[in-house]
Amino acid sequence: MSVLKLKLDQEQLVEDFFEDTWLAGIISQARDYQVCWQINKQLGFDLRVNNSLEINLTKNRRSYFFTVFEYQELTKSAAHYFYNNHCKAEFLLPELKHVDYIWLIKGNYYQAADVKLLTEQCRKVETVQLVTLLDMKDIKNKINLIF
């Protein structure tokens, strides 16, 4: 009896997930819920923890859980995901150890000028020290952002 093995095409999965997305890195010393609360006030968002999106990474037989906040803009067909980039001594994206949070904007509504405006507004948040747009090509561990 032969066994059929299916292999997941990770490159195609990454390509599909990151189609029509923007990625920003945020540096802040504040806790994730404090930053999200202030972003909600500044941008008129409603970022909330979505426990079903929480990312679980296992390294050296230890599990690390990375919180994900979510806000769906139904009228614009866009979604905002706010990832915590560190848990204890591990990083969701190890190549971005200096970044505390990752903001993923998904959907084809936002264009470059819109994203620039959003990041400028986010810079005005009291607890945010830096917001920078990230180039997807420079991120090696994109697969870690997929929930």
mmCIF file with all atom_site columns, all heavy atoms in Angstrom, residues 21-26 85 93 95-96 98-99 101-104 115 119 131-139 145:
data_model
loop_
_atom_site.group_PDB
_atom_site.id
_atom_site.type_symbol
_atom_site.label_atom_id
_atom_site.label_alt_id
_atom_site.label_comp_id
_atom_site.label_asym_id
_atom_site.label_entity_id
_atom_site.label_seq_id
_atom_site.pdbx_PDB_ins_code
_atom_site.Cartn_x
_atom_site.Cartn_y
_atom_site.Cartn_z
_atom_site.occupancy
_atom_site.B_iso_or_equiv
_atom_site.pdbx_formal_charge
_atom_site.auth_seq_id
_atom_site.auth_comp_id
_atom_site.auth_asym_id
_atom_site.auth_atom_id
_atom_site.pdbx_PDB_model_num
ATOM 1   N N   . THR A 1 21  ? 0.177  43.869 1.022  1.00 0.00 ? 21  THR A N   1
ATOM 2   C CA  . THR A 1 21  ? 0.427  44.175 2.432  1.00 0.00 ? 21  THR A CA  1
ATOM 3   C C   . THR A 1 21  ? 1.513  45.237 2.559  1.00 0.00 ? 21  THR A C   1
ATOM 4   O O   . THR A 1 21  ? 2.336  45.437 1.659  1.00 0.00 ? 21  THR A O   1
ATOM 5   C CB  . THR A 1 21  ? 0.885  42.935 3.227  1.00 0.00 ? 21  THR A CB  1
ATOM 6   O OG1 . THR A 1 21  ? 2.076  42.426 2.654  1.00 0.00 ? 21  THR A OG1 1
ATOM 7   C CG2 . THR A 1 21  ? -0.177 41.870 3.277  1.00 0.00 ? 21  THR A CG2 1
ATOM 8   N N   . TRP A 1 22  ? 1.487  45.910 3.696  1.00 0.00 ? 22  TRP A N   1
ATOM 9   C CA  . TRP A 1 22  ? 2.519  46.866 4.106  1.00 0.00 ? 22  TRP A CA  1
ATOM 10  C C   . TRP A 1 22  ? 2.974  46.443 5.485  1.00 0.00 ? 22  TRP A C   1
ATOM 11  O O   . TRP A 1 22  ? 2.177  45.964 6.288  1.00 0.00 ? 22  TRP A O   1
ATOM 12  C CB  . TRP A 1 22  ? 1.948  48.278 4.160  1.00 0.00 ? 22  TRP A CB  1
ATOM 13  C CG  . TRP A 1 22  ? 1.493  48.789 2.837  1.00 0.00 ? 22  TRP A CG  1
ATOM 14  C CD1 . TRP A 1 22  ? 0.237  48.666 2.300  1.00 0.00 ? 22  TRP A CD1 1
ATOM 15  C CD2 . TRP A 1 22  ? 2.273  49.484 1.869  1.00 0.00 ? 22  TRP A CD2 1
ATOM 16  N NE1 . TRP A 1 22  ? 0.198  49.253 1.060  1.00 0.00 ? 22  TRP A NE1 1
ATOM 17  C CE2 . TRP A 1 22  ? 1.437  49.771 0.773  1.00 0.00 ? 22  TRP A CE2 1
ATOM 18  C CE3 . TRP A 1 22  ? 3.606  49.895 1.833  1.00 0.00 ? 22  TRP A CE3 1
ATOM 19  C CZ2 . TRP A 1 22  ? 1.888  50.445 -0.347 1.00 0.00 ? 22  TRP A CZ2 1
ATOM 20  C CZ3 . TRP A 1 22  ? 4.047  50.573 0.717  1.00 0.00 ? 22  TRP A CZ3 1
ATOM 21  C CH2 . TRP A 1 22  ? 3.199  50.840 -0.367 1.00 0.00 ? 22  TRP A CH2 1
ATOM 22  N N   . LEU A 1 23  ? 4.230  46.635 5.767  1.00 0.00 ? 23  LEU A N   1
ATOM 23  C CA  . LEU A 1 23  ? 4.792  46.235 7.045  1.00 0.00 ? 23  LEU A CA  1
ATOM 24  C C   . LEU A 1 23  ? 5.573  47.396 7.639  1.00 0.00 ? 23  LEU A C   1
ATOM 25  O O   . LEU A 1 23  ? 6.374  48.024 6.949  1.00 0.00 ? 23  LEU A O   1
ATOM 26  C CB  . LEU A 1 23  ? 5.718  45.034 6.829  1.00 0.00 ? 23  LEU A CB  1
ATOM 27  C CG  . LEU A 1 23  ? 6.005  44.116 7.989  1.00 0.00 ? 23  LEU A CG  1
ATOM 28  C CD1 . LEU A 1 23  ? 4.718  43.484 8.507  1.00 0.00 ? 23  LEU A CD1 1
ATOM 29  C CD2 . LEU A 1 23  ? 6.976  43.041 7.584  1.00 0.00 ? 23  LEU A CD2 1
ATOM 30  N N   . ALA A 1 24  ? 5.315  47.663 8.921  1.00 0.00 ? 24  ALA A N   1
ATOM 31  C CA  . ALA A 1 24  ? 6.035  48.730 9.628  1.00 0.00 ? 24  ALA A CA  1
ATOM 32  C C   . ALA A 1 24  ? 6.581  48.175 10.932 1.00 0.00 ? 24  ALA A C   1
ATOM 33  O O   . ALA A 1 24  ? 5.965  47.324 11.568 1.00 0.00 ? 24  ALA A O   1
ATOM 34  C CB  . ALA A 1 24  ? 5.103  49.908 9.902  1.00 0.00 ? 24  ALA A CB  1
ATOM 35  N N   . GLY A 1 25  ? 7.739  48.670 11.311 1.00 0.00 ? 25  GLY A N   1
ATOM 36  C CA  . GLY A 1 25  ? 8.331  48.327 12.590 1.00 0.00 ? 25  GLY A CA  1
ATOM 37  C C   . GLY A 1 25  ? 8.138  49.478 13.555 1.00 0.00 ? 25  GLY A C   1
ATOM 38  O O   . GLY A 1 25  ? 8.268  50.644 13.171 1.00 0.00 ? 25  GLY A O   1
ATOM 39  N N   . ILE A 1 26  ? 7.813  49.160 14.792 1.00 0.00 ? 26  ILE A N   1
ATOM 40  C CA  . ILE A 1 26  ? 7.566  50.183 15.811 1.00 0.00 ? 26  ILE A CA  1
ATOM 41  C C   . ILE A 1 26  ? 8.477  49.915 17.002 1.00 0.00 ? 26  ILE A C   1
ATOM 42  O O   . ILE A 1 26  ? 8.573  48.780 17.476 1.00 0.00 ? 26  ILE A O   1
ATOM 43  C CB  . ILE A 1 26  ? 6.088  50.171 16.266 1.00 0.00 ? 26  ILE A CB  1
ATOM 44  C CG1 . ILE A 1 26  ? 5.181  50.519 15.084 1.00 0.00 ? 26  ILE A CG1 1
ATOM 45  C CG2 . ILE A 1 26  ? 5.862  51.128 17.432 1.00 0.00 ? 26  ILE A CG2 1
ATOM 46  C CD1 . ILE A 1 26  ? 3.696  50.407 15.375 1.00 0.00 ? 26  ILE A CD1 1
ATOM 47  N N   . ASN A 1 85  ? 6.894  41.595 18.902 1.00 0.00 ? 85  ASN A N   1
ATOM 48  C CA  . ASN A 1 85  ? 8.052  40.957 18.280 1.00 0.00 ? 85  ASN A CA  1
ATOM 49  C C   . ASN A 1 85  ? 8.914  40.169 19.260 1.00 0.00 ? 85  ASN A C   1
ATOM 50  O O   . ASN A 1 85  ? 9.824  39.476 18.841 1.00 0.00 ? 85  ASN A O   1
ATOM 51  C CB  . ASN A 1 85  ? 8.924  41.986 17.550 1.00 0.00 ? 85  ASN A CB  1
ATOM 52  C CG  . ASN A 1 85  ? 9.973  41.336 16.679 1.00 0.00 ? 85  ASN A CG  1
ATOM 53  O OD1 . ASN A 1 85  ? 9.730  40.303 16.072 1.00 0.00 ? 85  ASN A OD1 1
ATOM 54  N ND2 . ASN A 1 85  ? 11.146 41.933 16.636 1.00 0.00 ? 85  ASN A ND2 1
ATOM 55  N N   . LEU A 1 93  ? 10.618 37.875 14.721 1.00 0.00 ? 93  LEU A N   1
ATOM 56  C CA  . LEU A 1 93  ? 11.483 38.107 13.568 1.00 0.00 ? 93  LEU A CA  1
ATOM 57  C C   . LEU A 1 93  ? 12.892 38.398 14.086 1.00 0.00 ? 93  LEU A C   1
ATOM 58  O O   . LEU A 1 93  ? 13.223 39.545 14.394 1.00 0.00 ? 93  LEU A O   1
ATOM 59  C CB  . LEU A 1 93  ? 10.975 39.282 12.722 1.00 0.00 ? 93  LEU A CB  1
ATOM 60  C CG  . LEU A 1 93  ? 9.601  39.119 12.087 1.00 0.00 ? 93  LEU A CG  1
ATOM 61  C CD1 . LEU A 1 93  ? 9.208  40.370 11.332 1.00 0.00 ? 93  LEU A CD1 1
ATOM 62  C CD2 . LEU A 1 93  ? 9.567  37.903 11.180 1.00 0.00 ? 93  LEU A CD2 1
ATOM 63  N N   . GLU A 1 95  ? 15.684 38.804 12.777 1.00 0.00 ? 95  GLU A N   1
ATOM 64  C CA  . GLU A 1 95  ? 16.468 39.780 12.033 1.00 0.00 ? 95  GLU A CA  1
ATOM 65  C C   . GLU A 1 95  ? 16.102 41.227 12.400 1.00 0.00 ? 95  GLU A C   1
ATOM 66  O O   . GLU A 1 95  ? 16.776 42.163 12.003 1.00 0.00 ? 95  GLU A O   1
ATOM 67  C CB  . GLU A 1 95  ? 16.346 39.573 10.514 1.00 0.00 ? 95  GLU A CB  1
ATOM 68  C CG  . GLU A 1 95  ? 14.949 39.705 9.962  1.00 0.00 ? 95  GLU A CG  1
ATOM 69  C CD  . GLU A 1 95  ? 14.156 38.413 9.989  1.00 0.00 ? 95  GLU A CD  1
ATOM 70  O OE1 . GLU A 1 95  ? 14.470 37.517 10.775 1.00 0.00 ? 95  GLU A OE1 1
ATOM 71  O OE2 . GLU A 1 95  ? 13.205 38.309 9.210  1.00 0.00 ? 95  GLU A OE2 1
ATOM 72  N N   . LEU A 1 96  ? 15.024 41.401 13.165 1.00 0.00 ? 96  LEU A N   1
ATOM 73  C CA  . LEU A 1 96  ? 14.578 42.729 13.597 1.00 0.00 ? 96  LEU A CA  1
ATOM 74  C C   . LEU A 1 96  ? 14.561 42.812 15.124 1.00 0.00 ? 96  LEU A C   1
ATOM 75  O O   . LEU A 1 96  ? 13.560 43.207 15.721 1.00 0.00 ? 96  LEU A O   1
ATOM 76  C CB  . LEU A 1 96  ? 13.181 43.027 13.041 1.00 0.00 ? 96  LEU A CB  1
ATOM 77  C CG  . LEU A 1 96  ? 13.057 43.089 11.524 1.00 0.00 ? 96  LEU A CG  1
ATOM 78  C CD1 . LEU A 1 96  ? 11.605 43.252 11.108 1.00 0.00 ? 96  LEU A CD1 1
ATOM 79  C CD2 . LEU A 1 96  ? 13.905 44.215 10.958 1.00 0.00 ? 96  LEU A CD2 1
ATOM 80  N N   . HIS A 1 98  ? 15.837 44.868 17.087 1.00 0.00 ? 98  HIS A N   1
ATOM 81  C CA  . HIS A 1 98  ? 15.693 46.232 17.600 1.00 0.00 ? 98  HIS A CA  1
ATOM 82  C C   . HIS A 1 98  ? 14.250 46.733 17.540 1.00 0.00 ? 98  HIS A C   1
ATOM 83  O O   . HIS A 1 98  ? 13.924 47.749 18.136 1.00 0.00 ? 98  HIS A O   1
ATOM 84  C CB  . HIS A 1 98  ? 16.607 47.186 16.823 1.00 0.00 ? 98  HIS A CB  1
ATOM 85  C CG  . HIS A 1 98  ? 16.283 47.235 15.359 1.00 0.00 ? 98  HIS A CG  1
ATOM 86  N ND1 . HIS A 1 98  ? 16.639 46.210 14.496 1.00 0.00 ? 98  HIS A ND1 1
ATOM 87  C CD2 . HIS A 1 98  ? 15.621 48.154 14.621 1.00 0.00 ? 98  HIS A CD2 1
ATOM 88  C CE1 . HIS A 1 98  ? 16.197 46.523 13.274 1.00 0.00 ? 98  HIS A CE1 1
ATOM 89  N NE2 . HIS A 1 98  ? 15.583 47.680 13.327 1.00 0.00 ? 98  HIS A NE2 1
ATOM 90  N N   . VAL A 1 99  ? 13.376 46.017 16.843 1.00 0.00 ? 99  VAL A N   1
ATOM 91  C CA  . VAL A 1 99  ? 11.967 46.414 16.681 1.00 0.00 ? 99  VAL A CA  1
ATOM 92  C C   . VAL A 1 99  ? 11.125 45.712 17.747 1.00 0.00 ? 99  VAL A C   1
ATOM 93  O O   . VAL A 1 99  ? 11.214 44.506 17.921 1.00 0.00 ? 99  VAL A O   1
ATOM 94  C CB  . VAL A 1 99  ? 11.464 46.051 15.262 1.00 0.00 ? 99  VAL A CB  1
ATOM 95  C CG1 . VAL A 1 99  ? 9.978  46.274 15.133 1.00 0.00 ? 99  VAL A CG1 1
ATOM 96  C CG2 . VAL A 1 99  ? 12.223 46.844 14.212 1.00 0.00 ? 99  VAL A CG2 1
ATOM 97  N N   . TYR A 1 101 ? 7.582  46.060 18.007 1.00 0.00 ? 101 TYR A N   1
ATOM 98  C CA  . TYR A 1 101 ? 6.275  45.663 17.476 1.00 0.00 ? 101 TYR A CA  1
ATOM 99  C C   . TYR A 1 101 ? 6.292  45.726 15.954 1.00 0.00 ? 101 TYR A C   1
ATOM 100 O O   . TYR A 1 101 ? 7.013  46.515 15.354 1.00 0.00 ? 101 TYR A O   1
ATOM 101 C CB  . TYR A 1 101 ? 5.172  46.582 18.022 1.00 0.00 ? 101 TYR A CB  1
ATOM 102 C CG  . TYR A 1 101 ? 5.159  46.610 19.529 1.00 0.00 ? 101 TYR A CG  1
ATOM 103 C CD1 . TYR A 1 101 ? 5.629  47.709 20.230 1.00 0.00 ? 101 TYR A CD1 1
ATOM 104 C CD2 . TYR A 1 101 ? 4.711  45.515 20.260 1.00 0.00 ? 101 TYR A CD2 1
ATOM 105 C CE1 . TYR A 1 101 ? 5.638  47.727 21.617 1.00 0.00 ? 101 TYR A CE1 1
ATOM 106 C CE2 . TYR A 1 101 ? 4.723  45.516 21.642 1.00 0.00 ? 101 TYR A CE2 1
ATOM 107 C CZ  . TYR A 1 101 ? 5.190  46.620 22.314 1.00 0.00 ? 101 TYR A CZ  1
ATOM 108 O OH  . TYR A 1 101 ? 5.204  46.626 23.682 1.00 0.00 ? 101 TYR A OH  1
ATOM 109 N N   . ILE A 1 102 ? 5.456  44.907 15.352 1.00 0.00 ? 102 ILE A N   1
ATOM 110 C CA  . ILE A 1 102 ? 5.332  44.864 13.904 1.00 0.00 ? 102 ILE A CA  1
ATOM 111 C C   . ILE A 1 102 ? 3.880  45.134 13.552 1.00 0.00 ? 102 ILE A C   1
ATOM 112 O O   . ILE A 1 102 ? 2.972  44.512 14.108 1.00 0.00 ? 102 ILE A O   1
ATOM 113 C CB  . ILE A 1 102 ? 5.786  43.496 13.370 1.00 0.00 ? 102 ILE A CB  1
ATOM 114 C CG1 . ILE A 1 102 ? 7.264  43.315 13.684 1.00 0.00 ? 102 ILE A CG1 1
ATOM 115 C CG2 . ILE A 1 102 ? 5.536  43.391 11.881 1.00 0.00 ? 102 ILE A CG2 1
ATOM 116 C CD1 . ILE A 1 102 ? 7.674  41.910 13.862 1.00 0.00 ? 102 ILE A CD1 1
ATOM 117 N N   . TRP A 1 103 ? 3.684  46.069 12.656 1.00 0.00 ? 103 TRP A N   1
ATOM 118 C CA  . TRP A 1 103 ? 2.347  46.463 12.220 1.00 0.00 ? 103 TRP A CA  1
ATOM 119 C C   . TRP A 1 103 ? 2.185  46.028 10.771 1.00 0.00 ? 103 TRP A C   1
ATOM 120 O O   . TRP A 1 103 ? 2.902  46.485 9.897  1.00 0.00 ? 103 TRP A O   1
ATOM 121 C CB  . TRP A 1 103 ? 2.201  47.966 12.368 1.00 0.00 ? 103 TRP A CB  1
ATOM 122 C CG  . TRP A 1 103 ? 0.892  48.553 11.958 1.00 0.00 ? 103 TRP A CG  1
ATOM 123 C CD1 . TRP A 1 103 ? -0.271 47.918 11.693 1.00 0.00 ? 103 TRP A CD1 1
ATOM 124 C CD2 . TRP A 1 103 ? 0.624  49.948 11.779 1.00 0.00 ? 103 TRP A CD2 1
ATOM 125 N NE1 . TRP A 1 103 ? -1.250 48.822 11.366 1.00 0.00 ? 103 TRP A NE1 1
ATOM 126 C CE2 . TRP A 1 103 ? -0.721 50.077 11.412 1.00 0.00 ? 103 TRP A CE2 1
ATOM 127 C CE3 . TRP A 1 103 ? 1.406  51.086 11.906 1.00 0.00 ? 103 TRP A CE3 1
ATOM 128 C CZ2 . TRP A 1 103 ? -1.310 51.307 11.154 1.00 0.00 ? 103 TRP A CZ2 1
ATOM 129 C CZ3 . TRP A 1 103 ? 0.813  52.321 11.651 1.00 0.00 ? 103 TRP A CZ3 1
ATOM 130 C CH2 . TRP A 1 103 ? -0.532 52.426 11.281 1.00 0.00 ? 103 TRP A CH2 1
ATOM 131 N N   . LEU A 1 104 ? 1.254  45.118 10.540 1.00 0.00 ? 104 LEU A N   1
ATOM 132 C CA  . LEU A 1 104 ? 0.978  44.602 9.202  1.00 0.00 ? 104 LEU A CA  1
ATOM 133 C C   . LEU A 1 104 ? -0.360 45.164 8.743  1.00 0.00 ? 104 LEU A C   1
ATOM 134 O O   . LEU A 1 104 ? -1.369 45.012 9.434  1.00 0.00 ? 104 LEU A O   1
ATOM 135 C CB  . LEU A 1 104 ? 0.929  43.070 9.221  1.00 0.00 ? 104 LEU A CB  1
ATOM 136 C CG  . LEU A 1 104 ? 0.550  42.376 7.919  1.00 0.00 ? 104 LEU A CG  1
ATOM 137 C CD1 . LEU A 1 104 ? 1.712  42.443 6.930  1.00 0.00 ? 104 LEU A CD1 1
ATOM 138 C CD2 . LEU A 1 104 ? 0.160  40.946 8.164  1.00 0.00 ? 104 LEU A CD2 1
ATOM 139 N N   . VAL A 1 115 ? -0.256 54.889 3.495  1.00 0.00 ? 115 VAL A N   1
ATOM 140 C CA  . VAL A 1 115 ? 0.549  54.225 4.522  1.00 0.00 ? 115 VAL A CA  1
ATOM 141 C C   . VAL A 1 115 ? 1.521  55.218 5.143  1.00 0.00 ? 115 VAL A C   1
ATOM 142 O O   . VAL A 1 115 ? 1.737  55.215 6.356  1.00 0.00 ? 115 VAL A O   1
ATOM 143 C CB  . VAL A 1 115 ? 1.278  52.999 3.935  1.00 0.00 ? 115 VAL A CB  1
ATOM 144 C CG1 . VAL A 1 115 ? 2.238  52.400 4.931  1.00 0.00 ? 115 VAL A CG1 1
ATOM 145 C CG2 . VAL A 1 115 ? 0.263  51.957 3.484  1.00 0.00 ? 115 VAL A CG2 1
ATOM 146 N N   . THR A 1 119 ? 1.693  56.106 9.120  1.00 0.00 ? 119 THR A N   1
ATOM 147 C CA  . THR A 1 119 ? 2.904  56.012 9.931  1.00 0.00 ? 119 THR A CA  1
ATOM 148 C C   . THR A 1 119 ? 3.257  57.359 10.557 1.00 0.00 ? 119 THR A C   1
ATOM 149 O O   . THR A 1 119 ? 3.720  57.409 11.688 1.00 0.00 ? 119 THR A O   1
ATOM 150 C CB  . THR A 1 119 ? 4.103  55.469 9.120  1.00 0.00 ? 119 THR A CB  1
ATOM 151 O OG1 . THR A 1 119 ? 4.329  56.298 7.991  1.00 0.00 ? 119 THR A OG1 1
ATOM 152 C CG2 . THR A 1 119 ? 3.878  54.036 8.703  1.00 0.00 ? 119 THR A CG2 1
ATOM 153 N N   . VAL A 1 131 ? 8.722  54.798 14.101 1.00 0.00 ? 131 VAL A N   1
ATOM 154 C CA  . VAL A 1 131 ? 7.930  53.965 13.188 1.00 0.00 ? 131 VAL A CA  1
ATOM 155 C C   . VAL A 1 131 ? 8.644  54.006 11.849 1.00 0.00 ? 131 VAL A C   1
ATOM 156 O O   . VAL A 1 131 ? 8.966  55.081 11.345 1.00 0.00 ? 131 VAL A O   1
ATOM 157 C CB  . VAL A 1 131 ? 6.491  54.495 13.010 1.00 0.00 ? 131 VAL A CB  1
ATOM 158 C CG1 . VAL A 1 131 ? 5.718  53.616 12.047 1.00 0.00 ? 131 VAL A CG1 1
ATOM 159 C CG2 . VAL A 1 131 ? 5.767  54.599 14.319 1.00 0.00 ? 131 VAL A CG2 1
ATOM 160 N N   . THR A 1 132 ? 8.911  52.855 11.299 1.00 0.00 ? 132 THR A N   1
ATOM 161 C CA  . THR A 1 132 ? 9.589  52.802 10.008 1.00 0.00 ? 132 THR A CA  1
ATOM 162 C C   . THR A 1 132 ? 8.961  51.724 9.132  1.00 0.00 ? 132 THR A C   1
ATOM 163 O O   . THR A 1 132 ? 8.598  50.652 9.628  1.00 0.00 ? 132 THR A O   1
ATOM 164 C CB  . THR A 1 132 ? 11.104 52.543 10.184 1.00 0.00 ? 132 THR A CB  1
ATOM 165 O OG1 . THR A 1 132 ? 11.722 52.603 8.910  1.00 0.00 ? 132 THR A OG1 1
ATOM 166 C CG2 . THR A 1 132 ? 11.376 51.212 10.836 1.00 0.00 ? 132 THR A CG2 1
ATOM 167 N N   . LEU A 1 133 ? 8.823  52.025 7.856  1.00 0.00 ? 133 LEU A N   1
ATOM 168 C CA  . LEU A 1 133 ? 8.324  51.017 6.920  1.00 0.00 ? 133 LEU A CA  1
ATOM 169 C C   . LEU A 1 133 ? 9.421  50.000 6.667  1.00 0.00 ? 133 LEU A C   1
ATOM 170 O O   . LEU A 1 133 ? 10.604 50.348 6.583  1.00 0.00 ? 133 LEU A O   1
ATOM 171 C CB  . LEU A 1 133 ? 7.894  51.669 5.609  1.00 0.00 ? 133 LEU A CB  1
ATOM 172 C CG  . LEU A 1 133 ? 6.585  52.439 5.656  1.00 0.00 ? 133 LEU A CG  1
ATOM 173 C CD1 . LEU A 1 133 ? 6.313  53.127 4.333  1.00 0.00 ? 133 LEU A CD1 1
ATOM 174 C CD2 . LEU A 1 133 ? 5.429  51.531 6.016  1.00 0.00 ? 133 LEU A CD2 1
ATOM 175 N N   . LEU A 1 134 ? 9.038  48.750 6.566  1.00 0.00 ? 134 LEU A N   1
ATOM 176 C CA  . LEU A 1 134 ? 9.984  47.661 6.367  1.00 0.00 ? 134 LEU A CA  1
ATOM 177 C C   . LEU A 1 134 ? 9.837  47.098 4.959  1.00 0.00 ? 134 LEU A C   1
ATOM 178 O O   . LEU A 1 134 ? 8.727  47.039 4.415  1.00 0.00 ? 134 LEU A O   1
ATOM 179 C CB  . LEU A 1 134 ? 9.736  46.550 7.393  1.00 0.00 ? 134 LEU A CB  1
ATOM 180 C CG  . LEU A 1 134 ? 9.804  46.960 8.862  1.00 0.00 ? 134 LEU A CG  1
ATOM 181 C CD1 . LEU A 1 134 ? 9.321  45.832 9.749  1.00 0.00 ? 134 LEU A CD1 1
ATOM 182 C CD2 . LEU A 1 134 ? 11.210 47.386 9.233  1.00 0.00 ? 134 LEU A CD2 1
ATOM 183 N N   . ASP A 1 135 ? 10.935 46.688 4.395  1.00 0.00 ? 135 ASP A N   1
ATOM 184 C CA  . ASP A 1 135 ? 10.938 46.077 3.067  1.00 0.00 ? 135 ASP A CA  1
ATOM 185 C C   . ASP A 1 135 ? 10.793 44.563 3.233  1.00 0.00 ? 135 ASP A C   1
ATOM 186 O O   . ASP A 1 135 ? 11.599 43.931 3.922  1.00 0.00 ? 135 ASP A O   1
ATOM 187 C CB  . ASP A 1 135 ? 12.228 46.417 2.335  1.00 0.00 ? 135 ASP A CB  1
ATOM 188 C CG  . ASP A 1 135 ? 12.186 46.022 0.869  1.00 0.00 ? 135 ASP A CG  1
ATOM 189 O OD1 . ASP A 1 135 ? 11.225 45.345 0.442  1.00 0.00 ? 135 ASP A OD1 1
ATOM 190 O OD2 . ASP A 1 135 ? 13.126 46.391 0.153  1.00 0.00 ? 135 ASP A OD2 1
ATOM 191 N N   . MET A 1 136 ? 9.787  43.991 2.607  1.00 0.00 ? 136 MET A N   1
ATOM 192 C CA  . MET A 1 136 ? 9.522  42.553 2.721  1.00 0.00 ? 136 MET A CA  1
ATOM 193 C C   . MET A 1 136 ? 10.718 41.713 2.270  1.00 0.00 ? 136 MET A C   1
ATOM 194 O O   . MET A 1 136 ? 10.950 40.637 2.799  1.00 0.00 ? 136 MET A O   1
ATOM 195 C CB  . MET A 1 136 ? 8.312  42.157 1.874  1.00 0.00 ? 136 MET A CB  1
ATOM 196 C CG  . MET A 1 136 ? 7.030  42.709 2.360  1.00 0.00 ? 136 MET A CG  1
ATOM 197 S SD  . MET A 1 136 ? 6.514  41.872 3.833  1.00 0.00 ? 136 MET A SD  1
ATOM 198 C CE  . MET A 1 136 ? 4.898  42.521 3.988  1.00 0.00 ? 136 MET A CE  1
ATOM 199 N N   . LYS A 1 137 ? 11.490 42.216 1.317  1.00 0.00 ? 137 LYS A N   1
ATOM 200 C CA  . LYS A 1 137 ? 12.624 41.457 0.796  1.00 0.00 ? 137 LYS A CA  1
ATOM 201 C C   . LYS A 1 137 ? 13.703 41.254 1.846  1.00 0.00 ? 137 LYS A C   1
ATOM 202 O O   . LYS A 1 137 ? 14.475 40.299 1.776  1.00 0.00 ? 137 LYS A O   1
ATOM 203 C CB  . LYS A 1 137 ? 13.221 42.174 -0.417 1.00 0.00 ? 137 LYS A CB  1
ATOM 204 C CG  . LYS A 1 137 ? 12.296 42.240 -1.597 1.00 0.00 ? 137 LYS A CG  1
ATOM 205 C CD  . LYS A 1 137 ? 12.934 43.044 -2.710 1.00 0.00 ? 137 LYS A CD  1
ATOM 206 C CE  . LYS A 1 137 ? 11.842 43.803 -3.418 1.00 0.00 ? 137 LYS A CE  1
ATOM 207 N NZ  . LYS A 1 137 ? 12.225 45.113 -3.840 1.00 0.00 ? 137 LYS A NZ  1
ATOM 208 N N   . ASP A 1 138 ? 13.773 42.157 2.822  1.00 0.00 ? 138 ASP A N   1
ATOM 209 C CA  . ASP A 1 138 ? 14.807 42.083 3.851  1.00 0.00 ? 138 ASP A CA  1
ATOM 210 C C   . ASP A 1 138 ? 14.437 41.152 5.004  1.00 0.00 ? 138 ASP A C   1
ATOM 211 O O   . ASP A 1 138 ? 15.266 40.906 5.878  1.00 0.00 ? 138 ASP A O   1
ATOM 212 C CB  . ASP A 1 138 ? 15.087 43.479 4.422  1.00 0.00 ? 138 ASP A CB  1
ATOM 213 C CG  . ASP A 1 138 ? 15.626 44.425 3.356  1.00 0.00 ? 138 ASP A CG  1
ATOM 214 O OD1 . ASP A 1 138 ? 16.203 43.937 2.363  1.00 0.00 ? 138 ASP A OD1 1
ATOM 215 O OD2 . ASP A 1 138 ? 15.469 45.647 3.521  1.00 0.00 ? 138 ASP A OD2 1
ATOM 216 N N   . ILE A 1 139 ? 13.216 40.659 5.024  1.00 0.00 ? 139 ILE A N   1
ATOM 217 C CA  . ILE A 1 139 ? 12.760 39.839 6.143  1.00 0.00 ? 139 ILE A CA  1
ATOM 218 C C   . ILE A 1 139 ? 12.836 38.361 5.755  1.00 0.00 ? 139 ILE A C   1
ATOM 219 O O   . ILE A 1 139 ? 12.141 37.902 4.854  1.00 0.00 ? 139 ILE A O   1
ATOM 220 C CB  . ILE A 1 139 ? 11.326 40.245 6.555  1.00 0.00 ? 139 ILE A CB  1
ATOM 221 C CG1 . ILE A 1 139 ? 11.340 41.703 6.977  1.00 0.00 ? 139 ILE A CG1 1
ATOM 222 C CG2 . ILE A 1 139 ? 10.821 39.351 7.674  1.00 0.00 ? 139 ILE A CG2 1
ATOM 223 C CD1 . ILE A 1 139 ? 9.999  42.301 7.240  1.00 0.00 ? 139 ILE A CD1 1
ATOM 224 N N   . LEU A 1 145 ? 5.097  35.285 10.654 1.00 0.00 ? 145 LEU A N   1
ATOM 225 C CA  . LEU A 1 145 ? 3.982  36.224 10.774 1.00 0.00 ? 145 LEU A CA  1
ATOM 226 C C   . LEU A 1 145 ? 2.651  35.635 10.323 1.00 0.00 ? 145 LEU A C   1
ATOM 227 O O   . LEU A 1 145 ? 1.593  36.210 10.552 1.00 0.00 ? 145 LEU A O   1
ATOM 228 C CB  . LEU A 1 145 ? 4.262  37.505 9.974  1.00 0.00 ? 145 LEU A CB  1
ATOM 229 C CG  . LEU A 1 145 ? 5.453  38.338 10.419 1.00 0.00 ? 145 LEU A CG  1
ATOM 230 C CD1 . LEU A 1 145 ? 5.668  39.495 9.455  1.00 0.00 ? 145 LEU A CD1 1
ATOM 231 C CD2 . LEU A 1 145 ? 5.260  38.846 11.837 1.00 0.00 ? 145 LEU A CD2 1
#
